[in-house]
Amino acid sequence: MSSNPFYRLAPFIQEFIYKKKWDVLREAQADACHIILDTNKHLLIASGTASGKTEAAFFPTITMLDHNPSGTVGILYISPLKALINDQFHRLEELLQEASIPVWAWHGDASQSAKQRLLKKPSGILQITPESLEAMLMNRPELILPLFGDLRFIIIDEIHAFMGTDRGIQLQCQLVRLARLSKTEPRRIGLSATLRDYDYAANWLALGTAASVQIVAPQTGRKLRLAVDHFMFPSVEIEEDEESFLKAQEAYYKEIYNATYRHKALIFANSRQDTEHTIMEMRRLAQERQEADIFYVHHGNISTQLREEAEAALREVQGPVVAAATLTLELGIDLGELERVVQLGAPYSCSSFVQRLGRSGRKKDASSEMIFFCSEKEYEGALLPEQLPWEMLRAIAIIELYIREKWVESFKTRGMPLGLLYHQSMSLLKGMGEAKPAVLASAVLSLPAFKDIQPDAYRLFLRHLIKTDHLEITETGTLIIGLTGEKIVNHFRFYSVFEGNEEFFVFNGSQQIGSLDHAPPVENCFTLAGKIWEVTGVDDKRKHIYVVQAKGRKNTIWNGTQGHVDTHVMKKIREILTGSEAYVYLKPNAAKRLEQARHFAANNGLLEDLVVAAGGEQFYIIPWVGSQAFDTLIRVLRFELYSDIEPRSIKERSPYFLRITSKIDAAELKQKILSTIRKPLIHEALMAEDEAPRLGKYEEFIPPKLLRKAFLTDGIHLEELIHALQ
DNA sequence: GACCTGCTGCGGCATG
């Protein structure tokens, strides 16, 4: 074995590296070479952004394919994004110029003729999305053997984007189905820049196979340069204040302008509106100063063409370019080296922070840097806990967790993914045409993702699908897809397991008022078109929300959905408020605001206990738990403490605090909450009798009895709540 | 008043 793996790579790869003037293989690349070339194990590459992960996966696997060409497709590359496939396609074509290994992109936008050419002579590397793979497995299962009968490797890019999601469960099912139909056991390679829980990731990657996983996770000692700034916008309740509000806003945008001026810069925001608004202001300021328009917006509602223009500008234009994006620019599409990364507010998760940070400092020895612009709006009548700078606190917590503890969020797999059970059952049956119930059951329940589904539950599930015409039973006792099922399965939307953006239309009688992304629960109020409405009913099928105009003062204003925050982050925020540390990366305004917040929290007793008296019969509950445990706490209050608390008085800002009205005092309330959550059989009590909430796509087709069970398993996070409150 | 991802097969018509 040569000690330098470079000399073991295929000649055209050596030539490619030489031409690129890369002096040595990166650590991850060298390690990956040894594992791929010298072992039979799966491989997990968990190394930082810009460490050459994709090359680390492709160099040795292509080398092996070059030595010993495969009779069918030899490497299957699976990506969560079409954009990533297109990006990789060009890079692979360049690498493979001198080789006789073809590369094929297969996704919704790929041409039919290219797909036909591959089918004529299956070979080389195929790049695909889970949705296109689903279509293949379901509509053309007979093609799997000729396409993949000699498959050697499966490379899964950005696996953290799959782990812990329904799409990831779908992918795991597909890998097993692919292995069965192709009669191969390809080695798997997973790639990610943001992982901490390597064991979970390794298990995820190897699920359903016998081989073990070797992990490559080189330490990168990249320098960090961080800054957090804070801006206060005064309230605009009275007219005189408006001027000072506008002045503060102007100062804020000028600061962003200056931070990105004459740089290649990316501005991350947490909402599409923020990106639009910020770029509008940047344009205005540039125009005032007669500077060029170098600004772009990049988010989910922007067309592919415009997004590609923004990406190309960042990558290729000489001179300054400024783009504002939501998380659309987090994943690994190549943008080249960016000089500045600005974050408006705080990301919701540490892992998001790491991805965004990785957009700068890609060159050797360059430091990664990010400036946080946190802002706060003062307003009349703000409740005590609302006067804490939560967003800035979350920014500090995320920074501290990452730089001190190297912590990022871990993933959790759903125990009862019933929507997926429907999806995979229908997909498998469609591929089979017809099947005896026992045959279908064994094909589905032997998939590792469904190991916790009991045969009894599956029988109930099948009977329900027969009753609702999703399935039909023939005279010979076999199952076929039923009339209702045909409509679902034959629609092109069937291939994805996540729901597209829905629009709920709001009706007051027969008058349509507007639309919302989500339906608030019945009896909750929300504002739209300048008025407050109370929800009287929701028609999930027609996507209608029925409302009446709310009368009098209503406490239960629905807050919409918020980003998910982990319990670890909330605990860190409390620690920051309790402590006295001065963080070096805080700019003067931010440092001052933190000091104020610490005093304010201490003086008002906000850090002392779970329940804080707020005067009269009002109380704050500040639990310092993440979003999921927070939602469970609300269930505890609604369903178990309703005799002490006025349920309609609950006002929440998830996951930071709740305000409630109660006749019993703070100490007793706290005691009741703590003793309630430890009661045996409490799980069942936290749901209304007729409640069967859906957690994902296709769950409307599941028998309510099973759906309730799934919610108890995956929707109620009592253990986390108990643990966090102790 | 979070954010994001993905999509077949075929009939019919126009064009070279």
Side-chain angles (χ1 to χ4, degrees), chain A residues 239-298:
Chain A
E239 234 169 86
E240 297 92 83
D241 287 340
E242 192 161 338
E243 203 181 316
S244 54
F245 176 82
L246 291 175
K247 237 168 103 181
Q249 208 177 38
E250 182 74 4
Y252 169 75
Y253 285 118
K254 275 188 179 154
E255 205 57 50
I256 299 174
Y257 190 90
N258 292 337
T260 55
Y261 185 59
R262 295 213 167 147
H263 284 294
K264 202 156 254 183
L266 196 49
I267 302 170
F268 279 111
N270 287 343
S271 78
R272 293 186 283 243
Q273 271 234 289
D274 276 356
T275 62
E276 297 283 355
H277 203 174
T278 305
I279 287 302
M280 233 169 59
E281 293 291 332
M282 296 299 106
R283 283 221 170 91
R284 184 180 58 76
L285 289 169
Q287 213 166 22
E288 272 175 27
R289 297 163 196 211
Q290 301 187 317
E291 302 265 2
D293 183 345
I294 47 156
F295 303 100
Y296 295 85
V297 182
H298 196 287

Side-chain angles (χ1 to χ4, degrees), chain A residues 402-421:
Chain A
Y402 182 65
I403 62 178
R404 304 263 166 121
E405 301 174 24
K406 289 277 161 203
W407 178 89
V408 298
E409 290 79 6
S410 45
F411 303 93
K412 201 173 168 248
T413 307
R414 286 170 67 180
M416 282 188 80
L418 296 177
L420 263 297
L421 187 72

Side-chain angles (χ1 to χ4, degrees), chain A residues 16 20 88-98:
Chain A
F16 174 85
K20 286 263 171 189
Q88 291 296 335
F89 183 81
H90 298 300
R91 283 158 68 173
L92 280 175
E93 271 202 323
E94 190 190 350
L95 172 68
L96 294 169
Q97 247 170 14
E98 307 297 324

Side-chain angles (χ1 to χ4, degrees), chain A residues 571-693:
Chain A
K571 294 252 171 273
K572 193 48 128 185
I573 291 180
R574 183 185 205 170
E575 223 179 285
I576 291 162
L577 280 173
T578 319
S580 58
E581 188 173 346
Y583 305 102
V584 290
Y585 46 79
L586 296 185
K587 294 214 173 188
N589 278 341
K592 211 170 92 194
R593 184 68 186 102
L594 176 61
E595 270 322 293
Q596 280 171 358
R598 280 171 170 163
H599 285 294
F600 183 83
N603 292 343
N604 290 289
L606 298 182
L607 301 166
E608 275 162 27
D609 228 327
L610 175 64
V611 182
V612 177
E617 293 183 344
Q618 307 264 300
F619 298 90
Y620 297 120
I621 301 180
I622 312 178
W624 310 103
V625 301
S627 314
Q628 293 187 323
F630 190 92
D631 291 346
T632 302
L633 175 62
I634 291 178
R635 281 185 175 271
V636 171
L637 299 176
R638 286 232 163 90
F639 291 107
E640 286 291 277
L641 293 167
Y642 56 87
S643 54
D644 302 308
I645 291 166
E646 168 57 51
R648 287 172 64 113
S649 72
I650 298 175
K651 182 179 165 66
E652 63 194 74
R653 183 160 165 216
S654 173
Y656 303 109
F657 69 90
L658 287 144
R659 194 194 57 180
I660 54 163
T661 309
S662 168
K663 295 221 185 295
I664 57 175
D665 70 20
E668 198 180 341
L669 208 49
K670 176 187 170 187
Q671 214 38 59
K672 281 208 168 175
I673 292 172
L674 292 180
S675 62
T676 303
I677 57 176
R678 292 197 193 96
K679 270 190 353 201
L681 299 176
I682 171 93
H683 261 85
E684 307 272 343
L686 296 182
M687 293 182 75
E689 252 167 54
D690 57 349
E691 200 187 8

Side-chain angles (χ1 to χ4, degrees), chain A residues 702-722:
Chain A
I702 304 296
K705 193 180 153 192
L706 288 182
L707 218 46
R708 278 178 68 81
K709 217 169 147 188
F711 192 78
L712 290 173
T713 310
D714 298 321
I716 290 183
H717 302 270
L718 203 56
E719 290 71 29
E720 187 191 339
L721 181 65
I722 293 170

Side-chain angles (χ1 to χ4, degrees), chain A residues 47 138 159 164 173 224 262 265 268 285 325 361 433 512 530 533 612 657:
Chain A
S47 64
M138 175 174 128
I159 50 166
C173 292
L224 285 179
R262 295 213 167 147
F268 279 111
L285 289 169
Q512 195 197 318
W533 308 94
V612 177
F657 69 90

